[in-house]
């Protein structure tokens, strides 16, 4: 993944400017209950899947060790995006043996919080396969309690070392927020919630399409900062076990680059 910061080269560790209290006992109990419930769901899924015959496929085995640090995870995503941009995708981790293995557990190495836009599926733009990424997708990467809980589960329960907040060029949700503010229009149903959440990130120093494009990046930074300020996530950032980074996907070049 490239970066828009001249001071940052390569895909090393993200600086850890936030710190917070370690998880409380109450949080541990809640996560234990959640783990139990999800384990049961996985077992049910395994029993349902057993009745389906395996499909023919060419095994693609990855002999590389799974990324275990923020820097390693960033480098793996950067390598995958380079393959995607060059149309040399490997489509890893799809073979029948791995599918059976995943029925009993998962060890993803990154959480990607991205937009629902159909042109930006994280597993494709990073060329990753089954069990590699835990993805959460909302219009404009908007946060709510369900999103926060999903990200926290991946980090605190599965030990994932990297969270990427992935915005993208020509985001429709961001455009809607900018245009709604300019016109004073109220959007129907639950879409107004999205506009309200993106609103604080609107860049008023620019106009027209430039305002929308700048707000895409500003919104990523706001969401990233909110996640990094969550006490239990901040505690892991402070110990170097977690990095939360912001990034953009450019539709015109298919490149992902980091936001400073």
């Amino acid at each position: 993944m490239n970066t828009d910061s001249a001071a940052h080269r390569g895909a090393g560790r993200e600086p850890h400017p936030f710190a917070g209290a370690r998880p409380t006992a109450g949080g541990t109990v809640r996560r234990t209950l959640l783990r139990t419930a999800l384990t049961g769901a996985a077992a049910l899924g395994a029993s349902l899947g057993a009745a389906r015959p395996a499909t023919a496929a060419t095994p693609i085995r990855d002999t590389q060790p799974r990324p275990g640090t923020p820097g390693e995870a960033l480098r793996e995503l950067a390598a995958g995006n380079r393959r995607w941009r060059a149309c040399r995708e490997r489509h890893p981790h799809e073979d029948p043996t791995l599918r059976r293995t995943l029925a009993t557990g998962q060890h993803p190495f990154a959480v990607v919080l991205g937009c629902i836009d159909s042109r930006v599926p994280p597993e494709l733009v990073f060329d990753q396969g089954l069990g590699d990424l835990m993805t959460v997708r909302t219009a404009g990467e908007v946060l709510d309690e369900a999103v926060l809980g999903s990200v926290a589960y991946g980090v605190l329960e599965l030990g994932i070392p990297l969270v990427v907040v992935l915005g993208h060029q020509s985001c429709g949700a961001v455009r809607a927020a900018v245009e709604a503010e300019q016109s004073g229009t109220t959007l129907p149903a639950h879409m107004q919630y999205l506009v309200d959440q993106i609103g604080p990130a609107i860049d008023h120093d620019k106009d027209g399409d430039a305002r929308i494009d700048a707000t895409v990046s500003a919104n990523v930074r706001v969401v990233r900062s909110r996640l990094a300020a969550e006490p239990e996530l901040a505690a892991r950032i402070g110990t170097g076990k977690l990095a939360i980074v912001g990034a953009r996907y450019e539709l015109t070049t298919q490149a992902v680059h980091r936001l400073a």
Side-chain angles (χ1 to χ4, degrees):
M1 222 180 313
N2 299 325
T3 177
D4 66 351
S5 171
H8 180 86
R9 303 296 183 190
R13 289 181 180 268
E14 177 76 357
H16 307 305
F18 299 98
R22 293 193 175 276
T24 62
T28 301
V29 171
R30 290 193 299 272
R31 294 196 298 275
T32 300
L33 292 173
L34 180 58
R35 185 192 305 116
T36 301
L38 291 178
T39 300
L44 177 60
S47 64
L48 292 174
R52 292 183 297 212
T55 57
T58 301
I60 301 178
R61 304 298 295 174
D62 189 347
T63 58
Q64 297 296 320
R66 182 162 294 275
T69 67
E72 290 171 355
L74 279 167
R75 286 189 286 274
E76 175 57 34
L77 292 183
N81 181 242
R82 286 194 296 272
R83 295 193 298 270
W84 167 254
R85 287 153 51 198
C87 295
R88 295 180 178 177
E89 301 94 325
R90 291 170 48 208
H91 301 292
H93 305 148
E94 297 179 0
D95 61 276
T97 300
L98 180 70
R99 295 185 196 189
R100 289 190 292 271
T101 300
L102 289 174
T104 59
Q106 60 171 328
H107 303 284
F109 67 86
V111 175
V112 179
L113 169 57
C115 184
I116 61 171
D117 195 292
S118 64
R119 300 166 293 180
V120 196
E123 288 85 355
L124 293 184
V125 302
F126 290 120
D127 191 29
Q128 300 300 316
L130 295 173
D132 293 331
L133 304 180
M134 182 170 281
T135 59
V136 186
R137 301 179 68 179
T138 65
E141 308 87 57
V142 164
L143 295 175
D144 62 15
E145 284 299 310
V147 174
L148 288 168
S150 298
V151 173
Y153 176 80
V155 172
L156 302 177
E157 288 301 313
L158 300 183
I160 293 174
L162 177 67
V163 176
V164 178
V165 180
L166 182 64
H168 67 93
Q169 180 185 19
S170 301
C171 179
V174 169
R175 175 178 290 276
V178 171
E179 293 179 349
E181 183 193 61
Q182 292 172 338
S183 65
T185 302
T186 298
L187 272 65
H190 301 287
M191 288 185 287
Q192 184 62 38
Y193 176 80
L194 302 174
V195 168
D196 292 341
Q197 292 297 305
I198 297 171
I202 294 176
D203 189 331
H204 295 101
D205 293 331
K206 295 181 174 60
D207 296 309
D209 288 342
R211 174 175 293 182
I212 294 169
D213 191 69
T215 300
V216 167
S217 297
N219 183 57
V220 168
R221 293 186 177 101
V222 168
V223 172
R224 184 242 170 233
S225 294
R226 287 182 60 187
L227 285 174
E230 287 292 312
E232 291 183 318
L233 302 184
R236 295 185 71 85
I237 292 172
T239 61
K241 295 179 180 178
L242 173 67
I244 302 179
V245 303
R248 271 185 57 142
Y249 177 71
E250 306 300 335
L251 296 173
T252 51
T253 64
Q254 297 88 56
V256 175
H257 60 94
R258 289 181 60 181
L259 298 174

